[in-house]
Amino acid sequence: MPSYTPPVRDVRFVLEQVVGLSAHAQVEGFANATPDTVDAVLEEGGRFVAEVLFPLNQVGDQHGCTRAEDGSVTTPPGFKEAYRQFVESGWGTLAAPEAFGGQGMPHVVSTAFQEFMISANMAFAMYPGLAHGAIAALVAKGNPEQQATYLPKMVSGEWGGTMNLTEPQCGTDLGLIRTKAEPQADGSYRITGTKIFISAGEHDLTDNIIHLVLAKTPGAPDSSRGISLFVVPKVLVNADGSLGARNAVTCGSIEHKMGIHGNSTCVLNYDGATGWLVGEEMKGLAAMFIMMNAARLGVGLQGLAVAETAYQNAVHYARDRRQGRALTGPAEPGEKADTLMVHPDVRRMLMEAKAWTEGLRALCLWGALQVDLEHKAGTEVERQMAGDLIGLLTPVIKGVGTDKGYEVATNAQQVYGGHGYIQEWGMEQYVRDARIAMIYEGTNGVQAMDLVGRKLAQNGGRAVQAFFQIVTEELALAKTVPSTADFAARLERALGDLQAATMWFMANGMKNPDHVGAGAVSYMHLMGLVATGLMWLRMATAAARMQAAGEGDAAFLDAKLVTARFFAERILPDAGALRRKIEGGADAVMALPESMFLAA
Amino acid sequence: MPSYTPPVRDVRFVLEQVVGLSAHAQVEGFANATPDTVDAVLEEGGRFVAEVLFPLNQVGDQHGCTRAEDGSVTTPPGFKEAYRQFVESGWGTLAAPEAFGGQGMPHVVSTAFQEFMISANMAFAMYPGLAHGAIAALVAKGNPEQQATYLPKMVSGEWGGTMNLTEPQCGTDLGLIRTKAEPQADGSYRITGTKIFISAGEHDLTDNIIHLVLAKTPGAPDSSRGISLFVVPKVLVNADGSLGARNAVTCGSIEHKMGIHGNSTCVLNYDGATGWLVGEEMKGLAAMFIMMNAARLGVGLQGLAVAETAYQNAVHYARDRRQGRALTGPAEPGEKADTLMVHPDVRRMLMEAKAWTEGLRALCLWGALQVDLEHKAGTEVERQMAGDLIGLLTPVIKGVGTDKGYEVATNAQQVYGGHGYIQEWGMEQYVRDARIAMIYEGTNGVQAMDLVGRKLAQNGGRAVQAFFQIVTEELALAKTVPSTADFAARLERALGDLQAATMWFMANGMKNPDHVGAGAVSYMHLMGLVATGLMWLRMATAAARMQAAGEGDAAFLDAKLVTARFFAERILPDAGALRRKIEGGADAVMALPESMFLAA
């Protein structure tokens, strides 16, 4: 049976040595995040998810959600009770604003806990996860009455929340939305239309679900500039805050999916449901992006988090399973066979997993810090810098985090051999669950286009130049230290590839934008190598410094240095290939006539 | 709903232009394979699988197999009738020896049909597929009585066949086998033990199933040198050929798997079952490898075949689905959105799929030709050369074919966006089905070790030198032709990387065999790039020659040249990264103490 242990020590190392949590004590909310408080969150939160949520992970996969004739949805056995405990213990309120009943902790601390929760049970974590996006939109764009009506109960977890974008004819291209919002005399709107793929769209965990819905008002232009955002509660809320009549939104069906069976993915039918405009009319896209950016970082975290659980189990299996002998001669001659751990290719898969999960953890937490700083740093310069960095890296964290998460989960399954393919061992579920993260909240191809088509050029390339400068400065320091000089030289080469690819886009994108589109995913992965490489540079630098000072656990710090070396020698070489693919341009990608793809 | 059209035209092109089928007319059995006969096989066989087997593919996935209390197993609805038609139409007998009722066609022609069958329904195709391995072992190692008793009905498909290797404690390491074979006075053996993961181990398609079982005789050494192969029929066969008593082998359970639900994967309990030695005692490993080598080529074909179906559907979806606009401006201004086909990254995924499926098809068929030539070529020199090449490339075809098959299936699913994750669209089944091919018949890591640890060094490196020479000679020609010169230059660079990596292994493997183990999978993929590159070189060369001569369909030949260019510019660059990873050696891979993999 699979197991999961929250990687508390590694998170602590990253928060102190990479994120520099204590160095930001002057930032609003960070004073709350004392080492003792953070330890308590990690230890207690980790225990909660491991003991309460993880045992429901396979249960959720096997039972899935059930829709009744009346459109109500029942979550898997145990989910409702676990959700009650989750709400009571307040794990969902860590980073929410104190004004609405949250604990006002830094986002970066909440993100560390989120990773544990997703690792334990991704499908379960999506119920509060989706609500967080809706909360973010209402905090930013809701009017005071809307905030007072919905936010306290959404923050506490008493009510759920969803994001309603997709329609049958409309996925990435939100200009195609058909859902209509007709204004009423009382200031409300009547919402009519069909939304699909709505995660946590209907369930039995909460008394109410607050849907945030993109729709078009009469006469709005037929493009993404014509969409508005509405708040549409499943159950209408009376003036005194009590629950009133059922609104005209129903779950028409739930999807049968490859994975995340424990989360209800709904078709929601809006049949003249009552909703209220959030923010300004036809400014829905901007409001949506507030939800979406938060969701994309959360999805990147899903990639890492599922990979972590898969990796942990692969390590256990590799240490238990005996098969074959070490190439260098029997490691345990007294046994009939050595463990899988002696085999270089098994090690290779485990080291790739370790290098990516720890590197992506650092990247996700460092990214979460930028979200904090973007809103709360003391100076405009700091806020702008943080906003630039997280804007640039959000598609990288989402796209690379989930592509690599899937790859790690697939390799972890591979370590199990035939047993990895059998449901009861649990490994194939991680692969199926991890798969969706490459698709939703914008496919990874869409992330890559966001990166190369929007983020690179914004403000004259300010963000990417700032990123290059950070890497360059930290490399310059690391090159002077013997223990990190080789790593720095290899990362510098990858940075050179990334800079060359960036220049290639600048030189060729104006001639033909397809040159940029054809290299977008390769570029996203190239930037992911450099960004994750920067995290490994920081971890290696910190480990070397601590060892020299006689601080910390020597074995743990050694492991960081070994894994950094693996990242440099066995993962960073992909940078050169990615650059060459990018520089191949669009010609070979676009040349084939449509009719010749199928030449049967 | 998904669809499938057998790529008959492409197979025909490969058989003529890459395999050179008609140039081998003097080889035994090849005279039967006239262009008309081959066309009939491809057209009629393709129609059969598309009309009869493909409609059962999703049915099989959804229903799976059912085991009753008595151990009997029922296949999914429709399988039994389809199997009956399969047997009646004789599609399973194409390449079987005429002496046992087969049609004596070249293996390469049968392989072309196999691809279609797997594409249509992989789980179904495994029933006759497993029997083929058992047939091969009996043809090579069975005594005349065994051959007369079993082969005619196995060849006709009236009886099934299986391969029984794996036990709970014994996967790759066959020395750990515990199943016992006790000799009886009548020359038979009593077989006792538990075998797991037995594909097609029990089902209702045939009246009898002939199990080929690895077991140990009393006193045999506790290693793979101590194993023997036995034939153990599910139902004992009377002297007159009629069915007798039920043998003491029963299905204890069937596995719940990630995919290939339509195939029954069984735990088989042998409880003093009656069996007979096949070949010599304690020579079971050699006999097993006859089954295994055939099976590995078949599994490599599975990678390609599932990828083909996934790719075809992704093309249909990309042509139908409208979302967003071309980067170069609206392609169809009269529509509300352009099709997915205009987006460079969608094209990139489809072109990768096309380049790999067509390249792997050529490689599988060329490999199948080597199997024919190994046994039937006119001279010993030709037979040895063919044996060398297929020995070298079997792990490459299996390992790279299935890794790339999974990658293509995953990308094809990605083209569908959210719909790719929903069961009814059918795409996620291809990913789940394709996944097993990377695991069974030796995981891809085991394939890589077979390549670098056995095949490279055999006969003083004769096989790999022959392979290098073939590539070098064809490159020298292609470099002189303007239309293939650029492709040849790029392939030459990849060949240089492969040769350098080979030298690196030679220089460093003696010092520490882990240096070879740590780079094994990268090396397998590097050789896969060069071998598939050789196939694209042949296809491009043929296309250019035919165009110059005014032969063939210009659009089809253009597509070959465009796809070859894509392979060279967008796929071959991986060769450099793989070489650098290999040259990184084992140090960083093996350095981490076991206890530090989990440092929570």
Side-chain angles (χ1 to χ4, degrees):
Chain A
M1 289 303 96
S3 66
Y4 170 67
T5 304
V8 170
R9 177 154 68 158
D10 197 52
V11 169
R12 224 182 251 142
F13 176 82
V14 169
L15 289 179
E16 277 314 309
Q17 304 300 330
V18 177
V19 169
L21 190 61
S22 54
H24 293 90
Q26 80 292 355
V27 177
E28 182 196 329
F30 279 59
N32 296 343
T34 62
D36 284 356
T37 312
V38 172
D39 278 0
V41 167
L42 299 179
E43 295 285 354
E44 294 299 317
R47 187 173 306 135
F48 172 77
V49 304
E51 291 177 0
V52 177
L53 302 187
F54 184 69
L56 298 177
N57 192 43
Q58 280 185 293
V59 174
D61 185 58
Q62 282 153 20
H63 287 263
C65 296
T66 317
R67 177 184 171 278
E69 285 278 319
D70 66 357
S72 65
V73 172
T74 306
T75 53
F79 271 43
K80 195 165 176 170
E81 169 58 19
Y83 187 80
R84 192 190 59 73
Q85 291 182 47
F86 171 78
V87 170
E88 279 185 6
S89 54
W91 292 117
T93 71
L94 286 173
E98 288 168 298
F100 304 115
Q103 300 180 51
M105 295 272 280
H107 183 64
V108 63
V109 175
S110 168
T111 299
F113 170 74
Q114 296 289 333
E115 182 205 317
F116 296 172
M117 184 158 67
I118 299 163
S119 287
N121 195 326
M122 175 170 160
F124 182 96
M126 288 173 67
Y127 289 103
L130 269 293
H132 280 149
I135 289 170
L138 285 173
V139 167
K141 299 288 180 182
N143 64 35
E145 188 191 333
Q146 289 167 346
Q147 293 181 338
T149 303
Y150 302 112
L151 281 175
K153 296 203 169 176
M154 293 174 78
V155 165
S156 74
E158 201 175 331
W159 294 349
T162 71
M163 294 163 43
N164 289 236
L165 284 62
T166 306
E167 300 179 9
Q169 79 294 344
C170 158
T172 299
D173 186 349
L174 293 173
L176 301 177
I177 278 180
R178 288 189 194 143
T179 296
K180 296 280 175 231
E182 296 166 283
Q184 306 296 301
D186 65 356
S188 71
Y189 288 76
R190 284 173 61 88
I191 313 290
T192 303
T194 300
K195 295 288 181 178
I196 66 170
F197 300 159
I198 307 307
S199 297
E202 176 60 42
H203 56 77
D204 57 357
L205 301 183
T206 58
D207 295 334
N208 203 358
I209 302 173
I210 311 306
H211 303 297
L212 288 178
V213 183
L214 290 181
K216 280 185 181 164
T217 47
D222 222 9
S223 79
S224 62
R225 293 207 174 79
I227 57 181
S228 306
L229 183 67
F230 298 87
V231 56
V232 186
K234 170 182 164 183
V235 183
L236 294 167
V237 182
N238 296 324
D240 65 357
S242 63
L243 292 179
R246 185 75 162 75
N247 206 347
V249 48
T250 51
C251 170
S253 66
I254 54 177
E255 305 286 358
H256 296 96
K257 309 185 297 290
M258 184 184 194
I260 53 166
H261 295 161
N263 199 278
S264 59
T265 305
C266 300
V267 173
L268 289 186
N269 297 319
Y270 291 85
D271 189 17
T274 302
W276 290 270
L277 186 65
V278 178
E280 293 175 56
E281 195 177 339
M282 294 194 274
K283 300 283 185 192
L285 203 63
M288 185 278 294
F289 265 113
I290 290 169
M291 296 194 285
M292 189 54 94
N293 283 329
R296 286 177 175 177
L297 290 171
V299 173
L301 193 66
Q302 288 180 334
L304 145 66
V306 176
E308 169 70 27
T309 309
Y311 164 69
Q312 287 188 15
N313 283 285
V315 172
H316 290 305
Y317 189 81
R319 292 170 70 164
D320 288 346
R321 176 81 169 173
R322 293 185 177 278
Q323 210 75 191
R325 287 296 187 188
L327 296 172
T328 49
E332 296 178 83
E335 301 280 350
K336 285 197 171 179
D338 294 332
T339 69
L340 296 187
M341 271 289 182
V342 305
H343 300 303
D345 189 58
V346 171
R347 288 240 177 192
R348 193 258 317 163
M349 291 190 282
L350 295 177
M351 288 300 298
E352 283 183 8
K354 188 174 170 69
W356 275 115
T357 52
E358 294 182 12
L360 288 170
R361 174 175 300 121
L363 188 60
C364 285
L365 291 175
W366 184 63
L369 174 73
Q370 307 313 314
V371 174
D372 281 316
L373 297 179
E374 181 185 12
H375 297 108
K376 300 178 186 170
T379 69
E380 173 58 26
V381 170
E382 289 172 286
R383 291 194 294 272
Q384 186 190 83
M385 168 71 94
D388 280 354
L389 288 173
I390 194 57
L392 181 75
L393 290 176
T394 292
V396 176
I397 289 172
K398 196 281 185 181
V400 177
T402 60
D403 275 359
K404 291 299 166 184
Y406 181 67
E407 191 178 304
V408 167
T410 297
N411 275 340
Q413 180 188 26
Q414 189 77 7
V415 169
Y416 277 66
H419 297 96
Y421 202 65
I422 308 298
Q423 287 173 9
E424 66 176 310
W425 288 82
M427 299 305 288
E428 55 94 40
Q429 183 190 344
Y430 302 130
V431 176
R432 289 186 287 105
D433 286 355
R435 183 67 185 89
I436 187 58
M438 297 151 75
I439 297 173
Y440 60 16
E441 312 306 347
T443 65
N444 287 356
V446 169
Q447 303 301 318
M449 283 310 299
D450 178 49
L451 174 63
V452 303
R454 293 181 62 238
K455 300 299 175 61
L456 276 190
Q458 268 177 352
N459 304 306
R462 194 175 68 198
V464 72
Q465 293 307 329
F467 175 70
F468 288 162
Q469 195 177 337
I470 290 172
V471 183
T472 303
E473 284 173 8
E474 299 194 24
L475 278 175
L477 272 173
K479 281 159 70 179
T480 66
V481 179
S483 56
T484 51
D486 184 68
F487 184 97
R490 290 171 188 269
L491 181 58
E492 190 170 40
R493 188 165 162 181
L495 176 66
D497 288 325
L498 178 63
Q499 289 173 318
T502 311
M503 293 297 291
W504 194 90
F505 278 162
M506 287 172 62
N508 294 278
M510 295 290 276
K511 274 184 287 191
N512 179 358
D514 282 346
H515 281 321
V516 177
V521 163
S522 291
Y523 186 89
M524 177 178 78
H525 277 283
L526 183 46
M527 187 170 277
L529 286 173
V530 173
T532 312
L534 175 66
M535 297 298 112
W536 272 113
L537 181 67
R538 288 185 176 187
M539 290 194 274
T541 301
R545 190 189 60 237
M546 290 170 75
Q547 281 198 332
E551 296 168 13
D553 179 309
F556 179 85
L557 300 174
D558 266 342
K560 282 289 175 199
L561 289 166
V562 167
T563 312
R565 180 181 170 190
F566 180 91
F567 187 86
E569 293 181 4
R570 305 286 300 208
I571 291 177
L572 279 181
D574 284 330
L578 291 166
R579 173 184 168 180
R580 284 186 63 205
K581 291 180 188 184
I582 292 163
E583 292 176 351
D587 296 350
V589 178
M590 304 301 288
L592 198 69
E594 258 191 54
S595 60
M596 293 312 293
F597 277 85
L598 299 180
Chain B
M1 289 301 96
S3 66
Y4 170 67
T5 304
V8 171
R9 177 155 66 158
D10 197 52
V11 168
R12 222 180 255 144
F13 175 81
V14 169
L15 289 179
E16 278 313 308
Q17 303 301 330
V18 177
V19 170
L21 190 60
S22 53
H24 292 89
Q26 81 293 357
V27 177
E28 181 195 329
F30 279 60
N32 297 343
T34 60
D36 284 355
T37 314
V38 173
D39 278 357
V41 167
L42 299 178
E43 295 285 354
E44 294 300 316
R47 187 173 306 136
F48 173 77
V49 305
E51 290 178 1
V52 177
L53 302 186
F54 185 70
L56 297 176
N57 192 43
Q58 280 185 293
V59 173
D61 185 59
Q62 282 153 19
H63 287 263
C65 296
T66 316
R67 178 185 171 276
E69 285 279 319
D70 65 358
S72 66
V73 171
T74 307
T75 52
F79 271 42
K80 196 167 174 170
E81 169 59 19
Y83 186 80
R84 191 189 61 72
Q85 291 183 46
F86 170 78
V87 170
E88 281 186 6
S89 54
W91 291 117
T93 71
L94 286 174
E98 288 168 297
F100 304 114
Q103 301 180 50
M105 294 272 279
H107 183 64
V108 63
V109 174
S110 168
T111 299
F113 170 74
Q114 295 290 332
E115 183 206 316
F116 297 172
M117 185 158 64
I118 299 164
S119 287
N121 194 325
M122 173 169 161
F124 182 95
M126 288 172 67
Y127 290 102
L130 269 295
H132 280 150
I135 290 169
L138 286 173
V139 167
K141 299 287 180 183
N143 63 35
E145 189 191 333
Q146 289 167 346
Q147 293 181 338
T149 304
Y150 302 114
L151 280 175
K153 295 204 168 173
M154 292 175 77
V155 164
S156 73
E158 201 175 330
W159 294 350
T162 71
M163 296 163 43
N164 289 235
L165 285 62
T166 307
E167 300 179 8
Q169 78 295 342
C170 159
T172 300
D173 186 350
L174 292 173
L176 301 177
I177 277 179
R178 288 191 195 138
T179 296
K180 297 283 176 229
E182 296 166 282
Q184 306 297 301
D186 65 355
S188 72
Y189 289 76
R190 284 173 61 89
I191 313 289
T192 304
T194 299
K195 294 287 180 179
I196 66 171
F197 300 159
I198 308 308
S199 298
E202 176 59 41
H203 57 75
D204 57 358
L205 301 183
T206 57
D207 294 335
N208 203 0
I209 303 173
I210 311 306
H211 304 297
L212 288 177
V213 183
L214 290 182
K216 281 184 181 165
T217 48
D222 223 9
S223 78
S224 63
R225 292 207 175 78
I227 56 181
S228 305
L229 183 67
F230 298 87
V231 58
V232 187
K234 170 182 164 183
V235 183
L236 294 167
V237 182
N238 296 323
D240 65 356
S242 64
L243 291 179
R246 186 72 161 74
N247 207 347
V249 48
T250 51
C251 171
S253 65
I254 54 176
E255 305 287 0
H256 297 96
K257 309 185 297 291
M258 185 183 194
I260 52 165
H261 295 161
N263 199 276
S264 60
T265 305
C266 298
V267 174
L268 287 187
N269 296 318
Y270 291 85
D271 189 18
T274 302
W276 291 269
L277 186 65
V278 177
E280 293 175 56
E281 196 179 339
M282 296 195 274
K283 298 283 185 193
L285 204 63
M288 185 278 294
F289 265 114
I290 290 169
M291 293 194 287
M292 189 54 95
N293 283 330
R296 285 177 175 176
L297 290 171
V299 173
L301 194 66
Q302 287 180 334
L304 145 67
V306 177
E308 169 70 25
T309 310
Y311 163 69
Q312 287 188 15
N313 283 285
V315 172
H316 289 305
Y317 190 81
R319 292 170 71 166
D320 288 346
R321 175 81 168 173
R322 293 184 178 275
Q323 209 75 191
R325 286 296 188 188
L327 296 172
T328 48
E332 295 178 84
E335 300 282 347
K336 285 198 171 178
D338 293 333
T339 70
L340 296 188
M341 271 289 182
V342 304
H343 300 301
D345 189 59
V346 171
R347 288 242 177 191
R348 192 258 317 163
M349 292 191 281
L350 295 177
M351 288 301 296
E352 283 183 9
K354 187 173 171 69
W356 275 115
T357 52
E358 293 182 12
L360 288 169
R361 174 174 301 121
L363 187 60
C364 285
L365 292 174
W366 185 64
L369 174 73
Q370 307 312 314
V371 174
D372 281 315
L373 296 179
E374 179 186 14
H375 296 108
K376 301 178 187 168
T379 71
E380 173 58 25
V381 170
E382 289 171 286
R383 290 193 295 272
Q384 186 191 81
M385 169 70 96
D388 280 355
L389 288 173
I390 195 58
L392 181 75
L393 291 176
T394 291
V396 175
I397 289 172
K398 196 280 187 184
V400 178
T402 61
D403 276 359
K404 291 299 166 186
Y406 181 67
E407 191 179 305
V408 166
T410 298
N411 275 341
Q413 180 189 23
Q414 190 76 9
V415 170
Y416 276 67
H419 297 97
Y421 202 64
I422 308 298
Q423 287 174 8
E424 66 176 309
W425 288 82
M427 300 305 287
E428 56 93 40
Q429 182 190 345
Y430 302 129
V431 176
R432 289 185 290 102
D433 286 355
R435 182 67 185 86
I436 187 58
M438 297 151 77
I439 297 174
Y440 60 16
E441 312 307 345
T443 64
N444 287 356
V446 170
Q447 302 303 319
M449 283 310 299
D450 178 49
L451 174 64
V452 302
R454 293 181 64 239
K455 302 298 176 59
L456 277 190
Q458 269 177 353
N459 304 306
R462 195 176 67 200
V464 72
Q465 293 306 330
F467 175 70
F468 289 162
Q469 196 177 337
I470 290 172
V471 183
T472 304
E473 284 172 8
E474 299 195 22
L475 279 174
L477 271 174
K479 281 158 70 180
T480 66
V481 179
S483 56
T484 52
D486 183 68
F487 183 97
R490 290 170 187 269
L491 180 58
E492 189 170 41
R493 187 165 164 181
L495 176 66
D497 288 325
L498 178 63
Q499 289 173 317
T502 311
M503 293 298 291
W504 194 90
F505 278 163
M506 287 173 63
N508 294 278
M510 295 291 276
K511 275 183 287 189
N512 180 0
D514 282 347
H515 281 320
V516 177
V521 164
S522 292
Y523 187 89
M524 176 179 79
H525 277 282
L526 183 46
M527 187 171 278
L529 286 173
V530 174
T532 312
L534 176 65
M535 296 299 112
W536 273 113
L537 180 67
R538 287 185 177 186
M539 290 193 275
T541 301
R545 191 191 59 238
M546 290 170 75
Q547 281 198 330
E551 296 168 13
D553 179 308
F556 178 85
L557 300 173
D558 265 341
K560 283 289 175 199
L561 289 166
V562 166
T563 311
R565 179 180 171 189
F566 180 92
F567 186 86
E569 294 181 6
R570 305 287 299 209
I571 292 177
L572 279 181
D574 283 331
L578 291 167
R579 172 184 169 179
R580 285 186 62 204
K581 291 180 188 184
I582 292 164
E583 292 176 351
D587 296 350
V589 177
M590 304 302 286
L592 198 69
E594 258 192 54
S595 60
M596 293 312 295
F597 277 85
L598 298 180

